Each structure stands twice: as C-alpha cells, then as structure tokens.
Amino acid sequence: MVDKVKSVSEVVRTIPSGSHIALGGFAIARNVIVVVHELIRQQKRDLTVSQGVVGLETDLLVGAGLVGHLIMGGGSLDRFGPAHCVNRARETKSLRWEDYTSLSVCFRYLAGALGLSFIPIKSLFASEILERLEAGPGASDVKRSKCPFTGEEYVLLRALTPDVSFIHVQIADSEGNCQINGPRWGNEEQAKAGRRLVVVAEEIVSTEFIQRSPERTIIPGHRVEAVIHQPFGALPTSVYGCYDYDADHLRLYVKHAEEPERFQEYLKAFVFGCRDHWEYLEKLGGLRRMEELRAEPISGY
Amino acid sequence: MVDKVKSVSEVVRTIPSGSHIALGGFAIARNVIVVVHELIRQQKRDLTVSQGVVGLETDLLVGAGLVGHLIMGGGSLDRFGPAHCVNRARETKSLRWEDYTSLSVCFRYLAGALGLSFIPIKSLFASEILERLEAGPGASDVKRSKCPFTGEEYVLLRALTPDVSFIHVQIADSEGNCQINGPRWGNEEQAKAGRRLVVVAEEIVSTEFIQRSPERTIIPGHRVEAVIHQPFGALPTSVYGCYDYDADHLRLYVKHAEEPERFQEYLKAFVFGCRDHWEYLEKLGGLRRMEELRAEPISGY
Amino acid sequence: MQVTEGTKGRNARSDIRATEIMATAGARELHDGEVVVVGLGLPEVASVLAKRTHAPRLTTLLEVGVMNPRPKDPPVGLPDSRSFYRATCWSGFLDVMGMNLHRGVVDVGFLGALELDRYGNINTTLVKDGAGKIRYVNGSAGGNDVASLAKRVIVIMRHEKRKLPLAVAYLTSPGFVGGRSRQELNLRGGGPSRVITDMGVLGFDAKTHAMSLLSLHPGIQLEALVENTGFPLHIPNDIPTTPLPSTEELRLLREEIDPKGMHLK
Amino acid sequence: MQVTEGTKGRNARSDIRATEIMATAGARELHDGEVVVVGLGLPEVASVLAKRTHAPRLTTLLEVGVMNPRPKDPPVGLPDSRSFYRATCWSGFLDVMGMNLHRGVVDVGFLGALELDRYGNINTTLVKDGAGKIRYVNGSAGGNDVASLAKRVIVIMRHEKRKLPLAVAYLTSPGFVGGRSRQELNLRGGGPSRVITDMGVLGFDAKTHAMSLLSLHPGIQLEALVENTGFPLHIPNDIPTTPLPSTEELRLLREEIDPKGMHLK
C-alpha cells in the first residue's frame, strides 16, 4: 500500500502559478486554511479559484493578491461579516470574476466529475447573473438551448475541471480514502471534478478503520494524490465533530479584512509570520485555546 | 410525525395497471420480492418496468405476463442462470423492450432525479444497442448531438421518471428515512427519479436511531410515500447485513423459469398459493431456514 | 441565502415586537406536509414555529445538505455545526438543491433580500450609493436557484424605501421580471407569493404580477407603509390587519425557539 | 459483465491448467497503480493475482459500487454480499461507472465475451443457432460502458470457433467497429488491447485494428488455434510461447486465491 501523506509545503510546491484550484470550504466551515496559508507563503500567483460558496479561504487568497480569476456562487463569512477582500476586489475590478449560484457551480463540478463536457440547468434564467455571464468572457461557459425531447429551454453550462481540487476532511487513511462527517455541500462533485485532488485530514486512520464503514468513504483513495495531515487545519473555521470555529479570530479577521492595510498586517502576523500551521495555532492560543474549541462528542461542536 | 408504514396489499392497490414502475434490485440482491408477489396476486397488467440490471423480481413479473414494456440495462440471475422469463419474452416478442446499459439507465434516472429532461452520455456509440434504439420506438428517447462548448459528439438520453419507484432497504423509520447498508448500485437515482416512492424495509427503527448517523440516510423521509415493513422481504435474494440469498430456492426458481408451464406451477405454489409473505417464508422453510440464512454480523452474509 | 431581520423594535400597540409578528405571519404561510428550503434567521424561526404549531410534518432543508435539523444552540450560518444537530439526513447541494429543488419537489423557498422590487425581483449582490458607487455583498449562493425553482417564494425583510426600490440595483434572483409570467421567463418555479415585512404582508396580483398590500400590521399606518415603499403599490379598499401572534405562539418564540432574542430582537 | 471461463482442463505439457495460464497472463497485463473495472470470474482472479505479486497498488472497482474488496468466500456475482467484504468504499453506479469510468480515470476494463470478432467487438446479448433462431442472454449491464470508456480493454474467454466468428451476432460492446479508429467511432476509451484465451494471447494491429496472435500457450499447436478461430488472424513469423505461471503464482492461485477451484477448474 502506498503512503500518500505529504507535507503541505511539499504539495504546494507542485502547484504552478496560473493553476485553476477548487476550494472545498463553505463560508466558515471546513476551509483548507493550511493550504491557503502555504499558497500565500509560496506566492503562487495568477490563480483561478472556483468555489460553490466562498469563505475565509478564498477571501485570504484574494486579499493576498494571488487570484486572477474567480468563479463563485456567492458567499460571506456568515454573521461575522462579508468577504471583504473578495468584495473589494470586485469593486476595484482587480480581478476577473464570474458570479454563479450554489447549484450552477455544483452542476458545473458534477459535469466535470462525470466526464461530461456540459450539463443543462433551469436556474439563472431571467437574472442579471446570466445576463452578465453572456455579456462577458463568461459567455464561453454558458449557452441557451432547448431540450431535444421536450422543447424546454435550458441553460447549458460548461463542465469545470480544476487543475487541483482541495478539500478538508475529518478522516483519511494513508492511501487517501476519505470520510466526511456532517453535510458535504458540493465536496464530492468538486473533489472528483479535479484533475488532481489533495485532501487535508484532521486525522489519519488505518485502512482497517475505513473498511469498518466503507459507505462513509466519500472519496476513494485512488482519486487522491496527496493527504496533508494537520489537526486544527481549518481554524479559524469549524470542522464538524472536531472543533468549533474560533469566533474571536473570525471577528479579528473581518476587522483586518475591512481595510487593505490592516489586511496586510494580518497576513504578516498570521501567515508570513508563521513558519508552519503549528506556529499559527500557537498564535491562536495554543493548546489551551484548542481545548476550548475542541468539539464535545454529542453535539459535534 | 406521520406514520407511513403500510401493508403491501394496501400499497399495491394504489398502483394502476399500465403504470411505469422502477425496481431496485440487482440480479440476486435486494429485490422487492414482497411487492412483486403482490403485484402478481393483484394482477396489475400492462406495466412498464425499468431497471438498471434486472434480476429475479423483473423475471417474475415478466413471467407472470404483467409487463408490456421493459427498459433494462441487461441482467441475469448470476451463476444461478439467465433471466429465463425475460429472455423468452424477448424471443417471442411478447413485450416491447429496450436494451440499454447499466450506466445509461443510471444516467436516465439521474436526469429524472435532478429534474433535467435530458442528459448527455458517451456510452452506446457504435453499438447495436444504440442502432436498435434509433430504429425502433426507443428513438424518441435518444438523440445524437454535439457539445456546444467542445464540439464532442454525445448521445442525449431522455430522463426516466417512473410513476412509482420501489426499493428494498435494510432500515427505515416510520417517516420513511431510509438507510442502505452495502453498495447502492443505482438505487439513489432510481428512487429519487420516481414520481412516487415506496420502500420495503427489513426493519423499522426510531427516528432517534436515524439521527445517530444522518450521513447514512440515502432517501430522506419526505420523498417516501409508504414504508412496507417485511423481514426477509427480499428472499430468495440477499440483503447485505441481514441474510444471504437462498441458493436452493434460486436453483428451484431457475429450473421452473426455464419452461412456461413449470413457471406457472412456481407461481401457483409460491405466489398465488401464499396469502402473504409470511406464508411464503414458511414455504421456504420457515424459522429454521431463516436462521440458516440470517447474516453473521462480521461478514454481513 | 442572506436574511435581513426586522429591527423596528417593539410594536406600537403592545409589547409584541415587529419581528414576532413577522415570524408568526411567515409560519402561517407554511402548510402542514410541505417541503421548505430555508435560510437562517427569521425564515428558520418561522418554519420552526410552524412545525411546533399547525405544521408538524413540515420538512425543512438547508442547502448545505441538512434536513430537519433541531438545533439546541443558535447557528451563525448554514454551515455552522449547530445547524446540523439532530438532522435526519446529511447530504449536499446535489441532493438538496438538485434532487429536491431542481426536481420540483420543494413547495416553498423562504428567502431574505437586500432589495426587492414590485415584481418580486431580489437583489443580494450589490448596493449602489447615491453617487452610483457600487459595493458588492454576498451574491446569490442558493438564492437564485431557490427563486427560480421553488413552487412559491416567501420573502421576509425590513420595510424601508431604499430596500423596496422601483428597480433593484442588480437582479440576482428573478420574480416576475418586467411583470411577465414565469413561463415566459423560462422559470419553472411559481415565483414570489408573499413578502412579509415589519409593516405588513404583501402579495402579487395574479394578472399584473405587481405587488399589492394584503394586510397591515397592528399599529402601522398605511401612509407610513406607502412612504417606506419605493414603488407604486396596489392598495385594496379594505385593508385587513395582520393577526397578532397568539399567546402560545409568543410563548414558543420567546421561551423555546429564540430565548436569547438572536433573531427576534 | 458476464465472464466465461476456460474449461479445456489441464495443459498438455504439465499439470498446469489452461485457466491458470489465462489468469497469470491476465495478471501480467495489469500494471501497478492502475485502476481496473473487473467482472467476476477470471478477471477478478487475475486482478487479485496481480495485486498479490507485482501490482500491490492496483485499484479494483465493481460496477455495483464496491472498491478493493477482499472476499474470503467466492461470490456468485457482483451483487453477492461476499464481494462486498472488506471493501474500502461502497458507493454505486454513479460513482464507479460515472465518476470513474465516464470521467476517464479507469485504465483497464476487464471483460468476458459470449462472442468476439476480429475487431474486438463483443456480443453478450444473444446467440443465433444454425437455423438463425435467436436466444437472448444477459445483455450489456456495464459491458458496453466499460468497452466504450476504459482506456484499454482486456477480454478473457474460451477459444472456440463459434465464439470467435467473422461477425458477432449482436454488437453489444464496440471494439474497432469495421476496423475504424476509436475517434472515428466517437468512443473515448482506447478500445480492446488484449484477448486472453485458453490457447493464446492476442492483440490488435495499431493500423488495421485487426486481431493478431501475440503468443501461443505452451503445448498449443498454431494449427489448432487457427482452426478454432472464425476469422482470418494475423500470424507473425516468430510466435513466442506464453510464459507459464511461476511456482509462486501457481501457489497463490491454488492455495490462496481460488482454493476451491471455482474459477480455475
């Protein structure tokens, strides 16, 4: 059996600038923070980022100026505030972006995962979302057409096949078999749409453990190129069954993201100023804080 | 909370002759035998039956002369023999049938489940399967077309939305939340493609039990119209984690299905001659036999 | 799906808050046995209230892939682990938004709005200030999908002139665009049916598809409501008063559903 | 996917059975790290043998939704619970056939055939007797999908003239139909690469796409093979002999993989 467990710096070194990466978080949950921090430290530039509903991870990357093209279904940091960096970048037009919806991004990933180059959808009609896509460079990804059987009008969407998909999971074995606890939003489709797939796992378990409940394996090992093992790897976002979000840090983040200069201070302190994720966790409060955030087994948070 | 648990005779009375029903078994596993027996007892005629890979359940219905139209991806009774009644009906052209493949039937259900009226596929090309579909009444369900983005040739398939989908599951609560143990072949897509959905459950559990592992709920309760509670409800086919197939009875079945007259004897003895599934289970050997077939917990069979 | 709450504080005629009237009016729009896709905030509060009163068989779906959760602590958003608690099913977008919403089995989409126009078009993407400067906000997430596909849509929001403009600054999620029928617009879902604000309940004319007043909340003056509406509103001759929450509804809201006043403040 | 076993019994030159040579030849066609969709019977035996020898990182997929099972008892078919044992993932058609096979990440499809013609076209649907009377059999199941979509296809079957006709009675699963390229046929997968029978190993010419002999099993006469082939076969000047299974391969096959001789009889 092959051991796919790798360090994040090793994995990120294999991602060329200009890559299309798909990120698996949703707002303030299961963000691949450990990967995003390393992408920033290694200054991978001109990235295309796609995500169903963006969250902190994409806001960080956009704020760090590494994203040239953003494909998104919407998003915020929930009650903690908006995705300031993403919103500011759209206002200043400092990147190319296309707005979609949760389902249309999911369908684009689904098509990619199934090896279909297109898929029909009945969302988007009569909206400014579709209008703007059709009027801009997004026009090459959407096309109105009729069902050949019923005559019904559809929007056809082009499949998304990111160069690398990243998702954060609770459990993986060293071969890459992944089990997700809690709802999975678009993770399965996004992960399997990727040409390459990297997972961040809170815990590495034995293959025997995976074999005890194979129905929970959402991503089978043969699809996974690398497993990054990082406890508390999604902080300050939450991981169901492992830990709650760090509300204090989320508020601190939003405060900094409001203004470009303060955001640079944030990067300096929490990304560039940390050699690795362990050092970052120390800045978040270390062991004592982690134990406060650790999930209680019944509630899962 | 509503209680959807109903008797099979009550449920089958609501299925009109001429309905399109989709069946959830695969060859010799998780066949909805209890439903099929009752459809035969109530003589529901001129049925359209669709199934990914046919098995004993469809062979029974076809042998009983109740199927007017069969949409299938292939199938047999594995090492026990062919689906004699299905094959004979095709030879004598006593029904209309369309041959597909496992994936193309699954994609047709997937489209139905997603509310898409069509879906592209890259199987079927250059085969006699496609040729015959295009030359017959199946032509209204397939159409060659090009991807508007890549120019690649696809076969477009019309969605399947059966009037009633039936599946056999290990566990359901009385609201209809269903959990399947073992691989699920096309069950999720087939079930959710149905306009109505009826499940047969080996065991009825409390909703609290379902809430302990909600990631295992493949069919949520609100999609389910009725739950039929029937232990050993799939015999002589197997149900993972509950019981093995009854090899002796499968051999007996195949022996009878070989010849139309002997098949009528089978129906007389095991369907018409049984008031209900309990009486049928007695004919299969009753308690002692059921205990022989009952699964051992580690292996699941 | 962003939801904006009414925050006009306590109602003029009693100690009942506007948000409590909104939640109760929202709950009463939901029928037993229906399937509802809800956003967090008042839509969730309203659907829980409906379940605890006249609609015990209501099914609630969250777009992240959660069905019928029974949170014991207030979640800050859809992916907050608190909103997964005691769910009967965890799946994902493809199931909730694809195999339910796009499949056509969702009766009600319960949404918030940053801006809403007279034809029920929703903006959750950007705001323009007086000088025309654009500020982006959340975007669609599942909002456009829900508005396009649910059999009917209920919007719950604060009643302010700038939030109810003649034309939305960005048409994120379509209602009856330009007063046209949903069929003409290639939309499967039935479109907006009710708008519940902190001043009244509004509906849509079956022919013109334009918004009309259905009831005024107790203590709200018609003039005030018209003043706070940025488009011409059809006003019927007889204007009923929105029923107040019953004692039991108030007790449930205050003691059980939102005891900390997170959404009902 | 139906698989037909070689049953010619023990090989002329030793106590080694033809089925053991077939299983070994099949195993040697699989490379470490590859992803294989297997049917039950000899394809499964061959893939287990490959995993136990040179290809420990082989991934085996069963169309029902089973990955890397390690059965301890012989299954009678794909949905037999015995074939679910100790799997690392249980999913379904949509995952195995859609998100793997149709996605293009399956290296090898390992199939059986009722009939196979010189261009690698497979019939698993019907047989015609001498009088032209049709008898239907299993049909495609996943066979057509695998043949259309896997990067390469290996067929394992008995070598009989009626099973290797000039033209298949029904073209269930396409190879190089009419000698045309896969691209011309709109097929994504690379098509048939090897045919392993109880008499030899065959391949396909890169230009004509017609079948040619690659090696003869020990003890098999070329004339006998040609006699048992229903179409003109390209015969090279030098015909290698298929290597016999090693002692270790035989031990694994006989003592561990199929001790009851269910597939190797």
Side-chain angles (χ1 to χ4, degrees), chain B residues 28-42:
Chain B
I28 54 152
R30 281 202 289 107
N31 282 209
V32 288
I33 297 298
V34 61
V35 169
V36 161
H37 280 187
E38 187 63 21
L39 285 164
I40 297 173
R41 276 192 290 263
Q42 293 192 23

Side-chain angles (χ1 to χ4, degrees), chain B residues 161-264:
Chain B
T161 51
D163 296 315
V164 195
S165 265
F166 292 97
I167 57 165
H168 191 103
V169 304
Q170 284 89 349
I171 276 175
D173 68 8
S174 62
E175 296 172 37
N177 293 296
C178 297
Q179 301 188 338
I180 292 177
N181 198 356
R184 303 178 291 273
W185 39 91
N187 278 166
E188 184 176 355
E189 296 74 30
Q190 170 230 336
K192 293 178 181 173
R195 296 166 197 273
R196 298 167 59 194
L197 171 56
V198 173
V199 303
V200 182
E202 287 292 326
E203 193 173 355
I204 305 286
V205 298
S206 67
T207 298
E208 285 67 31
F209 185 87
I210 296 289
Q211 288 167 324
R212 273 191 234 160
S213 44
E215 75 283 353
R216 298 186 61 176
T217 304
I218 300 299
I219 315 286
H222 69 278
R223 303 298 297 275
V224 173
E225 179 180 309
V227 179
I228 296 164
H229 178 213
Q230 183 58 64
F232 298 98
L235 271 184
T237 70
S238 61
V239 175
Y240 180 80
C242 295
Y243 46 88
D244 203 359
Y245 44 79
D246 184 337
D248 293 345
H249 192 83
L250 284 170
R251 278 187 283 266
L252 176 144
Y253 176 85
V254 170
K255 193 85 198 138
H256 281 84
E258 256 171 12
E259 287 234 351
E261 276 150 50
R262 278 209 300 276
F263 183 76
Q264 290 306 319

Side-chain angles (χ1 to χ4, degrees), chain B residues 73 90-91 102 123 244-245 301, chain D residues 63 73 82 136-137 141 145:
Chain B
R90 298 195 286 173
E91 281 149 27
S102 298
S123 294
D244 203 359
Y245 44 79
Y301 53 86
Chain D
E63 70 167 271
D73 301 305
R82 287 159 189 76
Y136 279 89
V137 286
D145 305 307

Side-chain angles (χ1 to χ4, degrees), chain D:
Chain D
M1 290 158 277
Q2 185 198 326
V3 167
T4 318
E5 297 131 42
T7 52
K8 286 234 162 55
R10 285 169 192 263
N11 184 275
R13 267 182 32 191
S14 70
D15 71 333
I16 297 173
R17 290 174 175 146
T19 50
E20 291 167 339
I21 297 175
M22 291 166 85
T24 306
R28 289 175 185 171
E29 294 293 336
L30 304 175
H31 308 135
D32 198 21
E34 288 193 320
V35 179
V36 191
V37 171
V38 292
L40 286 191
L42 282 182
E44 187 213 9
V45 169
S47 67
V48 174
L49 180 61
K51 266 196 199 188
R52 298 283 191 90
T53 53
H54 63 283
R57 292 164 53 220
L58 195 72
T59 297
T60 51
L61 311 180
L62 308 186
E63 70 167 271
V64 286
V66 175
M67 306 202 182
N68 289 318
R70 299 172 198 199
K72 62 183 172 76
D73 301 305
V76 298
L78 293 175
D80 186 338
S81 303
R82 287 159 189 76
S83 71
F84 309 167
Y85 192 66
R86 292 192 64 206
T88 51
C89 177
W90 287 333
S91 57
F93 290 149
L94 193 67
D95 183 39
V96 171
M97 308 289 278
M99 295 188 176
N100 281 282
L101 190 63
H102 204 277
R103 175 74 172 95
V105 300
V106 171
D107 298 293
V108 182
F110 212 148
L111 297 173
L114 198 64
E115 288 184 347
L116 182 78
D117 72 17
R118 69 187 302 196
Y119 294 119
N121 299 309
I122 297 172
N123 170 20
T124 52
T125 300
L126 55 82
V127 285
K128 272 186 192 152
D129 67 14
K133 188 171 158 16
I134 285 169
R135 289 193 68 88
Y136 279 89
V137 286
N138 300 3
S140 163
N144 173 281
D145 305 307
V146 170
S148 300
L149 297 161
K151 290 185 196 166
R152 68 183 195 277
V153 171
I154 302 172
V155 178
I156 198 157
M157 64 187 297
R158 271 182 294 163
H159 206 124
E160 294 176 18
K161 193 162 194 160
R162 61 174 188 93
K163 293 175 72 65
L164 296 162
L166 195 58
V168 289
Y170 186 102
L171 201 166
T172 312
S173 304
F176 303 102
V177 183
R180 276 173 291 170
S181 76
R182 299 282 289 183
Q183 207 176 357
E184 274 180 278
L185 298 167
N186 290 313
L187 294 166
R188 277 188 186 165
S193 73
R194 289 291 180 272
V195 178
I196 296 165
T197 74
D198 47 350
M199 302 186 90
V201 176
L202 305 102
F204 294 84
D205 184 85
K207 280 193 180 150
T208 66
H209 300 120
M211 215 184 289
S212 62
L213 184 61
L214 296 183
S215 70
L216 270 174
H217 295 342
I220 302 293
Q221 298 303 316
L222 176 61
E223 294 68 31
L225 183 141
V226 170
E227 177 92 352
N228 279 289
T229 305
F231 48 78
L233 191 63
H234 177 76
I235 311 286
N237 292 333
D238 279 333
I239 308 171
T241 301
T242 314
L244 283 175
S246 69
T247 313
E248 174 60 5
E249 283 167 331
L250 278 179
R251 191 194 64 76
L252 283 167
L253 287 173
R254 292 173 183 183
E255 292 174 22
E256 298 190 10
I257 299 173
D258 189 20
K260 292 176 186 163
M262 190 165 172
H263 306 297
L264 296 171
K265 60 182 176 245

Side-chain angles (χ1 to χ4, degrees), chain A residues 119-137:
Chain A
I119 190 164
I121 195 169
K122 285 294 293 180
S123 295
L124 302 179
F125 278 110
S127 74
E128 200 159 338
I129 298 174
L130 181 59
E131 213 172 272
R132 293 211 182 183
L133 285 170
E134 289 177 328

Side-chain angles (χ1 to χ4, degrees), chain A residues 187-206:
Chain A
N187 278 167
E188 184 176 354
E189 297 74 31
Q190 171 230 335
K192 293 179 181 173
R195 296 166 197 272
R196 299 166 59 194
L197 172 55
V198 174
V199 303
V200 182
E202 287 292 327
E203 193 173 356
I204 306 285
V205 297
S206 67

Side-chain angles (χ1 to χ4, degrees), chain C residues 8-21 198-199 217-221 224 244 254:
Chain C
K8 285 235 161 53
R10 286 169 190 263
N11 186 274
R13 267 179 36 188
S14 70
D15 72 333
I16 298 173
R17 291 174 176 145
T19 49
E20 291 167 338
I21 298 175
D198 48 351
M199 302 187 91
H217 295 342
I220 302 294
Q221 299 301 316
L244 283 174
R254 293 172 181 183

